[in-house]
């Protein structure tokens, strides 16, 4: 017989806990930082030139001013507010003010083609656009293709008004100056949408991931737990991963939450600019994709030094090569390897630190796989028929995930949403992986990038990592090409480390034969000046296949 004190909770007759139901909101993170970590700093390299630096408490006051400005512009709950901006303090302020009033911060990747940006803005139904001075020409080019009635604001003061900008385009600083430094923040439901980020659309139209307040706060907490060596008072993180790409991997939320200083690089992401900024601001760790760190490594090699305080790089976006991990170790910099997706807020896994005193070889081995799951994320691998595969480090299958920071569908895209999940509601990542008994994830390939030769699978990632381990190779991509006998064979495209010397392809293949079965070795190596890249800094194999098919 059911106890009279029992209440129906979610799926069944469970006893309800007697705890306050307070929402997990994004604005509460900055309120907390301003109160508990008031002297934590945000330092930015600005578009106008020079540096800007202020505390979390000072940032919170400006965010209140911005919230008032947004309200005066008629922005309200559920409205989408677009941004075209670099990593800087004003973009950071938009993250909190927009979400804090119940609206949705829609970050747009400015590296996309203008037609894609116009499509995304229309699909999102944006009501306002805030843009950095750098992108004034892009905004002018977009012109009538943007949503009708869109309010435009440039992220600077009147002294830096873009040439040709009409009077109705507003200056950010003038908007803030007209508002008080306090704001009566609404109590936004934690399930409310807070941020919108579109995938790059490598297959079909871009798809929108619509994050909630709850998912964002939980992801930030999980990130701090998952990378404990990166966060805390006295540490400073440089997000080179853009604020316009998956919320800079959650760092704008995780850093204030943990009292970690933030250093924003602005528009200059070359190795020399990053080195100087890190050295000047005491950056202890930085997060970004491998292509960015290749430039920093080149600059450190040129100077024969690293930025003094730099201890660690978190590398994600695409697999990091063993050669890069080893080169960073040469400079006494540790690598944390991460994996995730736009649809996962985005971090899913990362490598955990070893015990104090672990040697170089152990550290390198530890950083090669993609690591263990963050709290809240569940993972499984399945075969072609959907059957779960064992977590023994050998069996491989498509990786499926679920958790409170994983999307349950795409924004206004029902058909894409239907195809993205299995019958039990797990999200299909499109990655092929193994998971070992200790929970360590190793990404083998993307399902669409695997090469099937004579009925056997060849990992393009394995071929690329072996090529990158050769000193003559700066970058590499392996793709499948049609073959009459074997169905598909691997073709390797490489970029030389020294354009003057080039690549001895015979020597490169000999190097690879020492680590591969005969049938896995590429039949052909093509030397190229550069590889096509996506808007998020990954190699675009779609474009590479087209180029090779066209004889390019």
């Amino acid at each position: 017989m059911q106890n009279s004190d029992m209440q129906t909770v979610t799926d069944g007759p469970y006893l309800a806990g007697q705890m306050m139901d307070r929402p997990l909101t994004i604005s509460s993170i900055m309120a907390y930082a301003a109160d508990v970590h008031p002297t934590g700093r945000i330092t930015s390299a600005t578009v106008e030139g020079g540096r800007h630096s202020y505390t979390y408490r000072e940032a919170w006051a400006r965010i209140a001013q911005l919230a008032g400005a947004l309200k005066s512009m008629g922005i309200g709950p559920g409205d989408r507010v677009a941004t075209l901006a670099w990593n800087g303090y004003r973009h950071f302020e938009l993250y909190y003010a927009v979400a804090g009033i119940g609206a949705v911060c829609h970050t747009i990747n400015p590296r996309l083609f203008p037609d894609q940006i116009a499509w995304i803005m229309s699909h999102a139904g944006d009501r306002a656009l805030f843009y950095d001075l750098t992108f004034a020409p892009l905004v002018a080019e977009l012109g009538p293709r943007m949503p009708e009635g869109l309010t435009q604001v440039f992220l600077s003061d009147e002294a830096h008004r873009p040439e040709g900008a009409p009077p109705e385009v507003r200056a950010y600083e003038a908007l803030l100056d007209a508002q008080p430094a306090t704001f009566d923040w609404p109590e936004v439901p934690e399930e409310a949408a807070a941020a919108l980020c579109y995938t790059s659309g490598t297959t079909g139209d871009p798809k929108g991931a619509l994050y909630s307040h709850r998912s964002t706060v939980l992801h930030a907490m999980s990130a701090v737990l998952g990378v404990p060596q990166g966060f805390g008072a006295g540490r400073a993180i440089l997000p080179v991963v853009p604020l316009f790409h998956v919320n800079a991997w959650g760092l704008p939320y995780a850093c204030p939450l943990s009292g970690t200083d933030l250093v924003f690089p602005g528009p200059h992401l070359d190795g020399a600019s990053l080195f100087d900024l890190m050295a000047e601001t005491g950056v202890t760790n930085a997060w970004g994709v491998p292509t960015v760190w290749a430039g920093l490594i080149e600059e450190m090699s040129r100077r024969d030094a690293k930025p003094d305080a730099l201890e660690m790089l978190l590398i994600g976006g695409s697999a990091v090569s063993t050669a890069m991990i080893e080169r960073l170790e040469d400079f006494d910099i540790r690598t944390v390897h991460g994996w995730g997706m736009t649809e996962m807020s985005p971090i899913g896994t990362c490598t955990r630190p070893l015990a104090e005193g672990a040697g170089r070889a152990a550290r390198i081995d530890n950083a090669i796989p993609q690591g263990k799951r963050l709290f809240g994320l569940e993972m499984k691998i399945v075969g072609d028929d959907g059957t779960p595969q064992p977590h023994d480090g050998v069996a491989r299958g498509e990786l499926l995930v679920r958790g409170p920071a994983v999307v349950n569908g795409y924004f206004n895209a029902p058909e894409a949403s239907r195809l993205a999940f299995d019958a039990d509601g797990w999200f299909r990542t499109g990655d092929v992986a193994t998971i070992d008994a200790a929970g360590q994830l190793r990404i083998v390939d993307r399902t669409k990038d695997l090469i099937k030769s004579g009925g056997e699978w060849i990992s393009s990632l394995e071929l690329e990592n072996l090529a990158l381990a050769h000193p003559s190779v700066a970058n590499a991509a392996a793709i499948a090409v049609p073959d009459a006998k074997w169905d598909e064979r691997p073709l390797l495209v490489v970029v030389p480390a020294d354009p003057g010397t080039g690549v001895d392809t015979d020597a490169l293949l000999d190097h690879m034969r020492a680590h591969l079965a005969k049938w896995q070795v590429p039949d052909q190596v093509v030397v190229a000046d550069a590889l096509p890249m996506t808007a998020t800094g990954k190699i675009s194999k779609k474009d590479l296949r087209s180029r090779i098919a066209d004889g390019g």
Side-chain angles (χ1 to χ4, degrees):
M1 186 170 67
Q2 185 171 321
N3 188 301
S4 60
D5 290 333
M6 297 288 267
Q7 299 179 31
T8 301
V9 180
T10 62
D11 297 328
Y14 302 104
L15 180 64
Q18 294 182 288
M19 306 301 291
M20 291 184 182
D21 186 11
R22 302 294 299 150
L24 300 174
T25 61
I26 286 173
S27 59
S28 69
I29 293 176
M30 272 305 294
Y32 175 81
D35 186 36
V36 177
H37 307 297
T39 60
R41 299 200 74 80
I42 303 171
T43 302
S44 303
T46 68
V47 173
E48 297 94 332
R51 306 280 193 258
H52 177 276
S53 185
Y54 64 169
T55 66
Y56 280 132
R57 180 166 286 174
E58 291 166 337
W60 185 227
R62 277 177 56 91
I63 290 165
Q65 290 179 284
L66 177 55
L70 289 166
K71 192 172 180 180
S72 73
M73 292 164 56
I75 301 298
D79 288 338
R80 272 75 76 195
V81 176
T83 69
L84 279 167
W86 299 108
N87 287 16
Y89 69 102
R90 294 181 178 115
H91 202 175
F92 174 88
E93 291 165 359
L94 280 160
Y95 266 52
Y96 281 93
V98 172
I101 66 170
V104 180
C105 185
H106 172 208
T107 55
I108 301 175
N109 188 336
R111 296 169 181 157
L112 295 172
F113 291 114
D115 285 345
Q116 287 179 298
I117 294 175
W119 185 93
I120 287 171
M121 293 183 73
S122 176
H123 186 267
D126 292 325
R127 288 204 53 207
L129 170 65
F130 289 73
Y131 63 90
D132 263 333
L133 298 174
T134 310
F135 305 116
L138 173 59
V139 173
E141 180 184 351
L142 288 166
R145 288 181 287 175
M146 294 187 292
E148 187 176 353
L150 187 80
T151 300
Q152 295 183 27
V153 180
F154 64 90
L155 291 170
S156 191
D157 52 29
E158 276 293 347
H160 292 88
R161 173 171 286 273
E163 185 178 352
E168 62 268 21
V169 175
R170 306 182 188 188
Y172 182 87
E173 292 300 332
L175 284 175
L176 266 64
D177 287 344
Q179 299 295 328
T182 58
F183 186 77
D184 185 13
W185 295 97
E187 189 164 292
V188 179
E190 64 178 24
E191 299 85 4
L196 177 61
C197 183
Y198 280 75
T199 65
S200 55
T202 54
T203 55
D205 289 327
K207 297 182 286 289
L210 188 61
Y211 311 121
S212 69
H213 284 260
R214 179 177 185 269
S215 70
T216 302
V217 172
L218 291 175
H219 180 269
M221 291 177 173
S222 296
V224 173
L225 291 172
V227 194
Q229 70 274 43
F231 295 99
R235 297 191 173 275
I237 293 183
L238 176 84
V240 182
V241 57
L243 286 166
F244 59 70
H245 178 56
V246 207
N247 298 337
W249 297 352
L251 288 175
Y253 311 113
C255 287
L257 187 66
S258 59
T260 311
D261 288 356
L262 266 169
V263 179
F264 289 127
H268 304 298
L269 306 181
D270 59 284
S273 296
L274 291 176
F275 188 108
D276 291 341
L277 182 62
M278 288 176 170
E280 176 188 327
T281 56
V283 166
T284 55
N285 66 106
W287 298 30
V289 298
T291 49
V292 169
W293 303 132
L296 179 65
I297 290 170
E298 184 178 343
E299 184 64 20
M300 292 192 299
S301 299
R302 189 180 70 79
R303 303 191 194 192
D304 193 27
K306 70 167 184 174
D308 288 341
L310 186 61
E311 302 170 349
M312 182 196 94
L313 295 182
L314 190 144
I315 308 179
S318 56
V320 59
S321 69
T322 304
M324 179 171 284
I325 297 169
E326 291 173 340
R327 190 67 183 118
L328 290 170
E329 281 284 337
D330 293 341
F331 288 101
D332 199 27
I333 297 171
R334 308 292 175 252
T335 298
V336 173
H337 199 172
W339 168 84
M341 299 181 70
T342 301
E343 294 87 345
M344 296 167 56
S345 299
I347 307 173
T349 67
C350 63
T351 50
R352 301 305 203 271
L354 295 175
E356 190 72 27
R360 173 188 167 101
R363 293 194 302 268
I364 292 170
D365 287 345
N366 183 60
I368 292 171
Q370 280 72 22
K372 299 184 179 184
R373 66 187 177 99
L374 264 58
F375 173 75
L377 185 76
E378 299 173 71
M379 307 186 301
K380 68 177 180 179
I381 51 175
V382 299
D384 293 340
D385 61 355
T387 303
Q389 301 298 298
H391 292 188
D392 57 7
V394 177
R396 54 178 66 180
E398 184 181 5
L399 177 62
L400 276 63
V401 297
R402 67 181 181 185
V406 180
V407 298
N408 63 12
Y410 291 111
F411 179 60
N412 284 346
E415 181 58 19
S417 298
R418 184 184 67 81
L419 296 173
F421 300 88
D422 75 357
D424 297 319
W426 291 69
F427 177 75
R428 302 181 186 277
T429 69
D431 282 320
V432 179
T434 66
I435 303 174
D436 67 20
Q440 194 91 285
L441 175 73
R442 189 182 294 264
I443 301 295
V444 176
D445 217 333
R446 293 289 291 167
T447 53
K448 61 188 177 184
D449 292 334
L450 280 169
I451 302 162
K452 195 168 190 178
S453 181
E456 298 290 343
W457 292 109
I458 300 173
S459 166
S460 66
L461 283 180
E462 185 177 6
L463 299 182
E464 290 157 7
N465 281 333
L466 281 172
L468 288 168
H470 195 274
S472 68
V473 175
N475 210 349
I479 60 172
V481 293
D483 184 87
K485 182 178 181 181
W486 302 109
D487 190 31
E488 291 180 343
R489 289 296 297 153
L491 179 144
L492 183 66
V493 184
V494 298
V495 177
D498 182 353
T501 305
V503 176
D504 183 337
T505 57
D506 289 336
L508 174 60
L509 288 173
D510 285 342
H511 158 74
M512 298 180 75
R513 287 187 186 100
H515 303 276
L516 297 170
K518 183 178 179 180
W519 57 271
Q520 295 174 311
V521 178
D523 290 341
Q524 184 182 359
V525 178
V526 174
V527 180
D529 295 333
L531 294 173
M533 308 298 286
T534 70
T536 54
K538 303 176 186 179
I539 296 170
S540 174
K541 292 193 176 180
K542 175 184 174 183
D543 291 342
L544 185 60
R545 291 185 191 100
S546 297
R547 184 185 295 181
I548 294 298
D550 294 340

